[in-house]
Amino acid sequence: MAHRPATRLAAPGWLTASLRPKDAPIPWAAAARASVALAAPLAVGTATGRPGYGALVSMGALSGVIGDTADAYRMRVFNIAVPQLFGALGVLLGTLVYGAGWTAVAVLTAVALVSGMISSIGAVASVSGLLLLLNAVVGAGLPLPSPWWLPPGLLLLGGLLVLGLTLLAWPLRGGTPERSAVAGTYRSVAVFLEATGTPGYDDARQALTRSLDQSYDLLLARRARRHGRSPTLVRLLAQLNAVVPAVEAASAAQLRPSEYGPLPPAYPAAVRELAAAVEQGRTGPAPPPGLPEPCGPSTRALVAAIGHAWTVAHEPAPDPYAVADRLGRPAALRVRANRAAHALLLSGASRRYGLRLALCIGLAQILVSVIAVPRSYWVSLTVTFVMKPDFGSVFSRAVLRALGTAAGLLIAAPVLAEVPHGWWDVPVMAALAALIPALSAKGYAFQTAAITPVILLLSDLLNHRGFHLVLPRLYDSLIGCGIALLVGYLLWPESWHTRIGERLADAVADTASYVSLAFTTGPGADQPARARYRRRLYRDLSAVRSEFQRALTEPPPVGARAEAWWPLVIAVERIVDTTTATRVRVEHGAPAPSPAEVGAVARELADLAGALRSGEPLPEAGPDTLPPECALGRLHREVQAARAVLIT
C-alpha cells in the first residue's frame, strides 16, 4: 500500500510576504544619529541626577527618529518639527487627565477621533496625528514630572536634538539628495530605453514612474517662494522638466515595428552621460551626443528630446519657467490649505477612519478601566500603531505587531533583568537605538522588535518596574492587537472589500478624457497640459498599485479578489502608455487620427469605466470601424484587450 506523502504545514503566502525582510541597505548615518540622540539625554540626566527628565527627552528624540523619513533637508525640517508640536500637545492633554478615570477615557477617545481625521490630509499630517494620540496615551498612562509644561518641553527638546543632528551636514550636502534624485530619474530613463521592445518594458516603466514621483516630491512638494531664491533648485527643476519629453519619446519607441529591432545603445548611453552631468553639477558647453540618424517618427522624437535635455542640463543657470511645465507645480499655499481643510472636515473617508480609530481607542480605555491590566496604556499604544491605514493592512499589522513585540521582549528581558540603572543605561540605549533605523528598513515587524526594548527601557526609568514589565507588555500587546482585529477589522464593513475597482474606474474615466485631449489639438499645441495629465494618470495608477499591494497582504477572500484585478491594472497602464506614444509619433510625422477614431476609442473607455464603477456587464461593442492600419489601431487593440479582461 502506497504511503501518502506527508503534508507540510506552511504559513499562508499573504503573511510570509509581510514577514520577509526587505532587501534594503543599512542607513549607517541614521543609525549613528539615533544612537546619539537617544543616549545623550540619558547621559545628561544621569549626570544631573534627573534620569526621568533624560528619559522624556529621549522619548521626544525617538519620535523624531521615527519621523525622519524624507531625503531633502528642507523637507526633513518640516517632517520632524511639525509632528513634534502635535506630540507636545498630545502629552499635555494626557497629563491633564492622568488618573481622571472616565474623563480620561472620553478625552482619549476624542483625541483619537481628531487624530484619525488628521491622518487623511497627507504624510506629515499622518505622523502628526500618530504622535498626537501616542503621546496623549503616554501622558494619561504614566506619572510624568510636574509642572504641566515640563513634559511637553522635554519632549520638544528631544525632537530639537534630532533635528539639530540631522541638519549638521546641510551646509555641506544641501542639494545632494535632490541632485541625486534627478540624476536617478535620468538613469531610469536610460534603463527604460534599453527595455523597449523587451519583456522587461512594463517593469522598467514602473520603476521610472516611481523615480519621477520621488523627484517631483523632493523638488516641488514644499515649493513656495523658495525656488525663486535657490539657484540649485531652479536648475534641478529645469533639468527634471527637460527629461520628460525623453520619457514620452521612449514610450513611442515601444511602438516601432519589430523589424527595426531594439534601440541602438547610443541613446541610453547619452542619457546616462546626462545623469552624470546632473549628479556632478557640470556646466558649460559640451559636445552634442553622437546619436544615430533617426529612421522614423519615434527615433526623431527621441533625438529631439535628448538634444533638448542635453542643452538644458549643461546650461549654467537655466530658467525652469522657460521650459514647459510638464510636471505641474503645486497650488498656492492658501489653495492647499483649503484642500486640506476640505479633506479633514468633509471627506467621508476621513470621518470613517476617525470614528474607526476612536471606537477602538475608546474600547481599549474602557477595558483597562474596568479590568485591572498592569501598565494598561500599552494597550492603546498597540491599537494606535496597528490602526494606521496608510501604513498597510490592519490584519497583517496586528499579526506583525504581536510577533515583533514578542521578539522585542526577548531583547528587553535580559536588559531589564541584569543591567543596573545609572551609567550602564547609556551604552545600552546607544546600542538599542542604533537598531531602530537599521531594522525599520527591513519591515514593520522588525521595526517593532527594535522599538519595543527602547520604549520599555525609557518607561522603566520613569516607573522602576524592572523585569516585571516584560510579561504585562506582552499581554497588553496581545489585547491591543485583539481589539484592532475584532473591532477595527473583522466587524468593520470596509475591511471586506478593496477599493481597487473604484480607483481603477476613476483612472479609466480620466484616460478617456486624456485620449480626447491628446488628439484634439494640432501638432505642437498644448504639450505641457497633456504631459501634466499623463503624469497625474500615472500617479493615480501608482496609487492603484499601492492599494493592490496592500490588499495582497489581507487574508482570503480579500487578497484573492484583489489578485483578480491585476491584469486589468496592467491593461489600463498600457492604454495610457500607448496614447502618449501615439501622440508623440503624430508630433513627429506619423498620420494623425480622425475625430471619428478618437471618439470611438473615448466611448469604449467611458463604457469600460462605467462597467467598473457599477459592476454591471459591459455594453456590447459596436462594429469594429477601426482597422489595424489606422492611426489609433494599436490603441484600439489595447482598449479591446482591457475590455476582454473585464469580461473574463
Side-chain angles (χ1 to χ4, degrees):
M1 180 177 177
H3 292 282
R4 182 176 300 174
T7 301
R8 292 183 60 189
L9 295 177
W14 54 266
L15 179 59
T16 56
S18 301
L19 280 172
R20 191 176 300 116
K22 298 177 182 177
D23 186 15
I26 296 177
W28 294 106
R33 281 195 302 271
S35 182
V36 173
L38 271 73
L42 293 187
V44 174
T46 301
T48 58
R50 299 280 188 174
Y53 288 10
L56 282 174
V57 176
S58 294
M59 281 188 178
L62 175 62
S63 300
V65 168
I66 296 173
D68 185 17
T69 57
D71 292 320
Y73 284 98
R74 55 201 170 84
M75 292 177 64
R76 294 168 81 175
V77 173
F78 193 80
N79 286 10
I80 296 174
V82 172
Q84 291 297 319
L85 297 175
F86 280 85
L89 175 61
V91 78
L92 174 61
L93 294 174
T95 53
L96 293 178
V97 297
Y98 173 73
W102 292 105
T103 301
V105 174
V107 169
L108 290 180
T109 303
V111 171
L113 176 64
V114 174
S115 170
M117 295 179 69
I118 289 175
S119 298
S120 66
I121 298 176
V124 175
S126 178
V127 178
S128 300
L130 175 68
L131 289 186
L132 173 68
L133 181 54
L134 285 178
N135 287 359
V137 170
V138 170
L142 282 175
L144 300 182
S146 57
W148 61 268
W149 50 265
L150 186 58
L154 293 174
L155 288 175
L156 282 175
L157 182 60
L160 289 175
L161 176 60
V162 174
L163 186 59
L165 292 173
T166 300
L167 301 183
L168 282 177
W170 195 349
L172 301 177
R173 302 182 69 252
T176 300
E178 293 93 336
R179 192 160 52 245
S180 298
V182 175
T185 298
Y186 273 78
R187 293 191 181 95
S188 295
V189 173
V191 174
F192 189 40
L193 288 171
E194 291 173 335
T196 55
T198 71
Y201 175 81
D202 287 335
D203 291 339
R205 184 190 63 223
Q206 284 304 312
L208 175 56
T209 298
R210 290 192 296 270
S211 181
L212 273 170
D213 288 345
Q214 180 190 18
S215 297
Y216 171 84
D217 291 339
L218 281 176
L219 293 182
L220 297 180
R222 302 285 174 258
R223 177 185 177 271
R225 298 185 182 88
R226 171 76 175 165
H227 285 81
R229 301 194 301 265
S230 172
T232 300
L233 292 179
V234 166
R235 188 159 188 259
L236 289 172
L237 179 58
Q239 291 168 341
L240 188 58
N241 281 336
V243 79
V244 177
V247 176
E248 297 174 343
S251 298
Q254 177 71 2
L255 298 188
R256 296 194 323 151
S258 57
E259 59 265 22
Y260 283 102
L263 282 172
Y267 294 114
V271 176
R272 283 196 172 88
E273 178 60 27
L274 282 173
V278 170
E279 193 162 42
Q280 297 167 14
R282 299 202 302 253
T283 60
L291 298 177
E293 190 69 24
C295 56
S298 300
T299 48
R300 278 198 296 270
L302 193 53
V303 169
I306 293 176
H308 171 66
W310 192 275
T311 300
V312 173
H314 290 89
E315 286 182 358
D319 180 5
Y321 307 109
V323 181
D325 177 15
R326 297 175 178 273
L327 292 177
R329 296 182 174 86
L333 182 61
R334 176 180 57 81
V335 175
R336 284 181 282 165
N338 289 338
R339 290 174 182 170
H342 183 275
L344 174 64
L345 300 175
L346 301 179
S347 167
S350 169
R351 291 194 299 270
R352 287 193 300 272
Y353 173 61
L355 290 171
R356 187 180 183 184
L357 181 59
L359 181 61
C360 292
I361 291 294
L363 181 59
Q365 290 297 120
I366 291 172
L367 180 66
V368 300
S369 298
V370 174
I371 302 174
V373 179
R375 311 287 11 121
S376 55
Y377 71 92
W378 197 270
V379 177
S380 294
L381 285 182
T382 301
V383 170
T384 304
F385 275 116
V386 171
M387 288 297 299
K388 290 297 291 179
D390 49 336
F391 288 173
S393 161
V394 170
F395 189 96
S396 62
R397 282 175 65 82
V399 176
L400 296 176
R401 177 79 186 179
L403 295 175
T405 300
L409 291 175
L410 291 177
I411 301 174
V415 173
L416 294 175
E418 301 298 333
V419 177
H421 281 309
W423 285 105
W424 279 106
D425 290 327
V426 178
V428 170
M429 177 59 70
L432 293 176
L435 294 176
I436 296 175
L439 294 183
S440 295
K442 302 298 181 182
Y444 178 65
F446 299 93
Q447 182 190 53
T448 302
I451 292 176
T452 296
V454 171
I455 296 180
L456 285 176
L457 180 56
L458 293 176
S459 60
D460 186 45
L461 289 170
L462 296 168
N463 289 285
H464 303 288
R465 291 287 304 277
F467 181 77
H468 300 291
L469 283 171
V470 175
L471 283 180
R473 284 294 179 266
L474 180 59
Y475 300 151
D476 291 349
S477 294
L478 294 177
I479 293 172
C481 291
I483 291 173
L485 281 177
L486 180 63
V487 181
Y489 182 80
L490 295 176
L491 300 182
W492 198 260
E494 288 187 6
S495 302
W496 298 101
H497 68 86
T498 69
R499 294 172 291 175
I500 299 175
E502 60 188 68
R503 288 188 173 184
L504 201 55
D506 293 339
V508 172
D510 288 343
T511 302
S513 302
Y514 176 52
V515 169
S516 299
L517 174 66
F519 299 108
T520 53
T521 57
D526 211 14
Q527 289 183 1
R530 290 198 308 273
R532 288 194 294 271
Y533 212 116
R534 175 181 177 272
R535 290 293 308 127
R536 191 182 77 186
L537 272 174
Y538 271 119
R539 189 177 281 272
D540 291 344
L541 288 170
S542 291
V544 173
R545 278 182 172 255
S546 297
E547 177 68 16
F548 174 80
Q549 295 295 335
R550 184 201 66 79
L552 286 182
T553 63
E554 300 277 9
V558 177
R561 291 172 183 168
E563 197 167 358
W565 286 107
W566 184 241
L568 194 57
V569 174
I570 296 295
V572 174
E573 289 178 344
R574 287 178 176 170
I575 290 171
V576 177
D577 213 41
T578 305
T579 303
T580 298
T582 304
R583 177 64 205 204
V584 169
R585 288 172 59 81
V586 170
E587 291 278 347
H588 290 270
S594 66
E597 294 176 31
V598 177
V601 172
R603 282 192 300 273
E604 290 177 338
L605 286 169
D607 290 344
L608 181 62
L612 284 169
R613 194 170 283 116
S614 66
E616 297 178 357
L618 266 172
E620 291 187 12
D624 190 355
T625 58
L626 300 184
E629 65 274 6
C630 73
L632 294 187
R634 177 69 174 269
L635 179 58
H636 176 62
R637 291 196 297 274
E638 294 290 356
V639 175
Q640 291 299 312
R643 290 170 62 95
V645 169
L646 183 60
I647 292 173
T648 56

